[in-house]
Amino acid sequence: MNNIQRLEMEVKNVNLNQSELSIYLQENGLQPFQEYNPESATSKKKIYQSALSILESLANDPERMKNIKHDDLDISEFATNIQNRIDQLERKIRGLKIDEKIETETNFFNYSIGR
């Protein structure tokens, strides 16, 4: 699975073409067609940041929201739900460490035990 496919999983039912998804990924430091590394905290964080950027763009475009109205979900409910998802992603991103921090903390931990 590549990065663009992983991002599509995160933002299901948001219809953007691959060039638009690619821009969001590149703005967050990922190459769209590079293999996604699920064991990398940095990759996961950048995917979430890309998804967050997409949702924020969607939330800032009221015209697009009109087009997303479903039978049993009106625009105000959609706006509330998208804001809840944005808040959820922000919390998730803040909680993730990048690979370099994990490695540094691990080395520090090992170093302190060895003394």
Side-chain angles (χ1 to χ4, degrees):
M1 171 182 297
N2 62 33
N3 288 324
I4 206 163
Q5 291 168 323
R6 176 61 183 92
L7 180 59
E8 287 172 336
M9 281 177 51
E10 198 60 41
V11 292
K12 288 184 181 181
N13 299 322
V14 175
N15 296 321
L16 296 174
N17 62 44
Q18 282 199 343
S19 63
E20 291 171 312
L21 292 172
S22 295
I23 295 296
Y24 284 109
L25 287 167
Q26 290 169 352
E27 287 176 348
N28 286 289
L30 289 174
Q31 293 304 311
F33 299 102
Q34 187 175 33
E35 189 70 19
Y36 172 68
N37 181 2
E39 295 177 14
S40 167
T42 302
S43 291
K44 185 183 289 187
K45 187 171 189 171
K46 288 180 178 187
I47 289 290
Y48 288 151
Q49 288 170 326
S50 299
L52 178 62
S53 296
I54 289 169
L55 294 179
E56 287 173 336
S57 293
L58 185 60
N60 288 328
D61 187 359
E63 280 299 311
R64 188 173 207 157
M65 283 189 183
K66 287 182 197 174
N67 297 332
I68 296 181
K69 184 176 178 180
H70 291 284
D71 296 335
D72 58 345
L73 181 72
D74 67 21
I75 294 171
S76 64
E77 290 171 341
F78 178 76
T80 301
N81 290 341
I82 199 167
Q83 188 57 53
N84 289 342
R85 180 65 178 136
I86 287 170
D87 294 341
Q88 187 181 56
L89 272 173
E90 287 174 337
R91 284 190 303 275
K92 195 179 275 192
I93 289 167
R94 279 194 303 271
L96 285 173
K97 296 180 179 174
I98 57 173
D99 295 333
E100 293 80 26
K101 284 186 180 179
I102 292 170
E103 187 142 332
T104 302
E105 289 174 4
T106 303
N107 288 343
F108 178 75
F109 181 71
N110 289 339
Y111 177 73
S112 64
I113 288 177
R115 282 197 142 204

